[in-house]
Amino acid sequence: MFIQYYLSYGSLIVLLAFGITSNSLLAQGIKRDSLLKELHIKRTTANLTSIDTLFINNIIELANEYRHHDLDSLLSLSQESLKLSKKASFINGQIGSYRNIGIFYSDKGNIDQAIYNYKKANNLADNHKSLHLKVETLNDLSTEYNYQGNYALALKGYLDAIEIAEKLDFKSFLSIINENIAQLYLDQKDYKHAMVFFKKVNAINEEIGNPIYMAETMSNMASAYADMNELEYAMFNINSSITIFEKERILEWLAYCYETKGKIYLKMGKNTWALYWYKQSELLHKEIEDDRGKIALLNGMSEAYFNIRKDSVSELYALAAFDLSNKIGLRTGIKNCTYQLFKIYKNRADYKKSLLYHEIFQETSKSLAKSGNEKALNILKTKMEYDQQKKQLIIENEKALAKQKTYIYIFVIILFIFLAIVLIIRRNEQIQKKLNTELLSNKLDLEEKQEYLNELNQTKNKLFSIIGHDLRGPIGAFQGLLRLFKEGEMTKDEFLNFVPKLKIDIDTISFTLNNLLSWGQTQMNGSATTPIATNLYSIVEENIALLSEIAESKSIKLISRIESNCQIWADFNQVDIIIRNLLSNALKFTPNNGQIIIGAIQKLKTCEIYIKDNGMGMSEETMGEIFKIDSNHTTYGTNDEKGTGLGLSLCKEMVEKNKGRIWVHSSLGKGSSFYFTMPRFIKPNKKSA
């Protein structure tokens, strides 16, 4: 049973004119404007350095946004990002810039320059072992080889990319590459093998669960079904993909889908409906730059107008397709439009022009037929070579494995000989061991005591270091203010102006002292963990109230998503310290007008608590250090707030004492999310009388 997608003619025009085109362009324009604003701010900032990779990534992202709207902007921005990436030795930035420049030349029809830039990107990814980028650049390069007509290199590149992607479990590009291989078979009219790959792509897309990937595949399958004259299947697939692209507002794919739907109606003989959908595609092509897609559209419209006996309009579209096909060197486009022009001029009895275009049509058809035969042979040859290489690798691996087994046998024999020698020596050592037991025992005892004393000494040094570094400053400042006030060098009004700052300093000192005391107790084994039924909601609310003044000073929203009945089995005071430290830490690193969310996910036996902010974020290196007890890692907050560096190591100790675990997800410029688990409090079932 097939589901058809119907809309009335009038409602569809309104939807396309206002719901799709304007809203999509508005959404894309807003994104570009946002990126442009951010780039302008960074360019005018005095502190901008040549190694600002976030700035470079923003340029690359903005360039890509211009792909289907302004190719000149795509090129100029890509050249700028490449220059900055080279200056900063930012390899990923160089790869992204070369790929964008390759896109520019590809869309302009300059295939040689596109291949040159894609090769640059691919070599960089290869040299720096960036396997995910290697897969992506191999796909770019292979697609361009396909446009060039070098089908052997195209298929080989796709197969190499698949091999790497399968090892990485890189599902998104496994879907893309398999679909590109399906397209190779479609070009040969080998629908059987094309559908095998499309089914493979569908299975991968189901695993990924991304509706856009599914829609892209369905639209390509719809075009294939139309070429196979399986028009019912074609219509089902294209309607399904249109629904998704209209919802997601992706203009370039919608233009392709509308053109494909027009092609389906054309094959049905419904020329009026074909023209309707072609015109919707034509409307979108005015807002995007996609010459390859536009050629198919122009040829389709020319054929539809010819069928309804509007030869003059058909001629205009066919000539436009001819000019555009010559501009970018698309031979299939030239073949289709010259055949259409041959028919138009024959109808008019303009046999001179008709013969001219028929000769071009025949010449192009022969060239394509020859190329098609070579393509089929190259595909077969490349696949056979690839399979042969894989078999050779398997044989070599088996030989290497056999060699390794030999080494293992030799090692086992040596190990047995060694064990025999050890046993003999061990027997002879028994007498000596008895004599040394007491001495060894005393030595171990002394070493344990020495280690314990060293740990105590390190704790003492850490305490004094923090007291000297983080408490002496605020206390000294407070003493200085009091001395100035006492000696009359500061008026009462001037002193009162410092009171809010003094309160913050005193709150910081109090918070630091609480952390120091708690940490000192845990280090000296003086803090016992006493789990009880603890209401998480009340602890969070108290801490939000406690830290609300700091949040208000930075205009930060503190949002709690803790349910009022959320209960855990943990030490009340230790959970309080953990929550306070994590909230304080989030406030410290969240900029003004930011947002912090605290919530909990109640699972079967545990409760997973999270605190998410949209602040500064952390690098991979920082995330590896923050929970270490011996780490002295301290960072200033967005308003130069200072911390002791104890909070997170203290949280880790207390979480683990309560049989939980703590971790963090973060990336620079995108905020941090701290997670920790605690056992849930499970009420005992009452026994029935």
Side-chain angles (χ1 to χ4, degrees), residues 16 226 254-268 270-286 293-305 307 317:
L16 290 168
L254 267 177
Y256 172 67
C257 287
Y258 292 158
E259 182 268 321
T260 302
K261 192 163 183 176
K263 179 169 79 170
I264 295 166
Y265 276 118
L266 191 66
K267 285 185 170 287
M268 288 180 175
K270 298 179 179 180
N271 296 294
T272 304
W273 274 104
L275 281 170
Y276 171 78
W277 286 102
Y278 281 142
K279 285 176 182 177
Q280 306 315 311
S281 180
E282 186 181 29
L283 211 69
L284 293 181
H285 272 286
K286 290 178 181 178
K294 195 172 182 180
I295 289 168
L297 170 66
L298 293 170
N299 280 324
M301 294 186 77
S302 175
E303 187 176 349
Y305 276 117
N307 290 345
Y317 280 104

Side-chain angles (χ1 to χ4, degrees), residues 37-61 80-94 97 616 668-669:
K37 185 177 179 182
E38 190 172 343
L39 289 173
H40 176 71
I41 291 168
K42 284 186 173 288
R43 281 195 176 104
T44 54
T45 300
N47 295 328
L48 179 64
T49 66
S50 62
I51 55 170
D52 191 340
T53 56
L54 183 61
F55 176 63
I56 294 170
N57 282 331
N58 281 343
I59 297 176
I60 293 169
E61 186 180 353
E80 180 183 357
S81 64
L82 179 60
K83 183 179 177 182
L84 290 173
S85 297
K86 286 181 175 179
K87 187 176 180 182
S89 299
F90 181 31
I91 300 302
N92 286 4
Q94 292 179 49
S97 301
M616 296 162 57
L668 284 172

Side-chain angles (χ1 to χ4, degrees), residues 178-195:
N178 277 289
E179 193 156 349
N180 286 338
I181 294 175
Q183 195 62 48
L184 281 175
Y185 282 109
L186 283 179
D187 291 346
Q188 296 303 301
K189 310 297 181 187
D190 187 346
Y191 301 115
K192 180 181 176 182
H193 283 93
M195 285 302 163

Side-chain angles (χ1 to χ4, degrees), residues 168-281:
L168 297 173
D169 197 26
F170 195 2
K171 287 191 171 59
S172 58
F173 261 78
L174 279 172
S175 168
I176 291 167
I177 298 163
N178 277 289
E179 193 156 349
N180 286 338
I181 294 175
Q183 195 62 48
L184 281 175
Y185 282 109
L186 283 179
D187 291 346
Q188 296 303 301
K189 310 297 181 187
D190 187 346
Y191 301 115
K192 180 181 176 182
H193 283 93
M195 285 302 163
V196 169
F197 278 93
F198 273 129
K199 286 176 183 176
K200 193 173 180 182
V201 172
N202 275 334
I204 297 169
N205 288 344
E206 287 291 332
E207 288 184 52
I208 297 171
N210 187 322
I212 295 173
Y213 286 5
M214 295 177 186
E216 290 172 358
T217 303
M218 283 190 291
S219 59
N220 285 328
M221 288 180 72
S223 181
Y225 279 128
D227 292 337
M228 295 163 65
N229 282 318
E230 296 281 353
L231 301 181
E232 194 173 352
Y233 287 109
M235 189 63 78
F236 170 76
N237 278 277
I238 204 63
N239 284 337
S240 300
S241 58
I242 285 173
T243 302
I244 295 168
F245 287 134
E246 285 179 348
K247 181 182 176 183
E248 300 293 335
R249 305 179 188 280
I250 303 175
L251 294 188
E252 54 272 18
W253 277 98
L254 267 177
Y256 172 67
C257 287
Y258 292 158
E259 182 268 321
T260 302
K261 192 163 183 176
K263 179 169 79 170
I264 295 166
Y265 276 118
L266 191 66
K267 285 185 170 287
M268 288 180 175
K270 298 179 179 180
N271 296 294
T272 304
W273 274 104
L275 281 170
Y276 171 78
W277 286 102
Y278 281 142
K279 285 176 182 177
Q280 306 315 311
S281 180

Side-chain angles (χ1 to χ4, degrees), residues 418-483:
F418 176 75
L419 287 173
I421 294 169
V422 168
L423 287 171
I424 293 167
I425 294 171
R426 190 173 179 81
R427 266 179 73 187
N428 294 331
E429 285 179 345
Q430 291 300 317
I431 298 169
Q432 187 67 36
K433 186 177 179 181
K434 288 178 183 178
L435 296 173
N436 292 334
T437 300
E438 187 176 348
L439 181 61
L440 183 61
S441 177
N442 291 335
K443 181 185 175 184
L444 290 172
D445 188 43
L446 285 170
E447 287 176 352
E448 285 177 4
K449 288 178 180 178
Q450 181 66 37
E451 187 178 347
Y452 178 67
L453 288 172
N454 287 339
E455 287 177 0
L456 287 178
N457 195 44
Q458 287 175 6
T459 300
K460 177 205 72 175
N461 291 339
K462 180 78 173 181
L463 285 167
F464 281 130
S465 171
I466 291 164
I467 291 167
H469 187 265
D470 295 306
L471 297 182
R472 185 168 60 187
I475 292 171
F478 189 28
Q479 286 176 331
L481 285 172
L482 290 174
R483 180 179 58 75

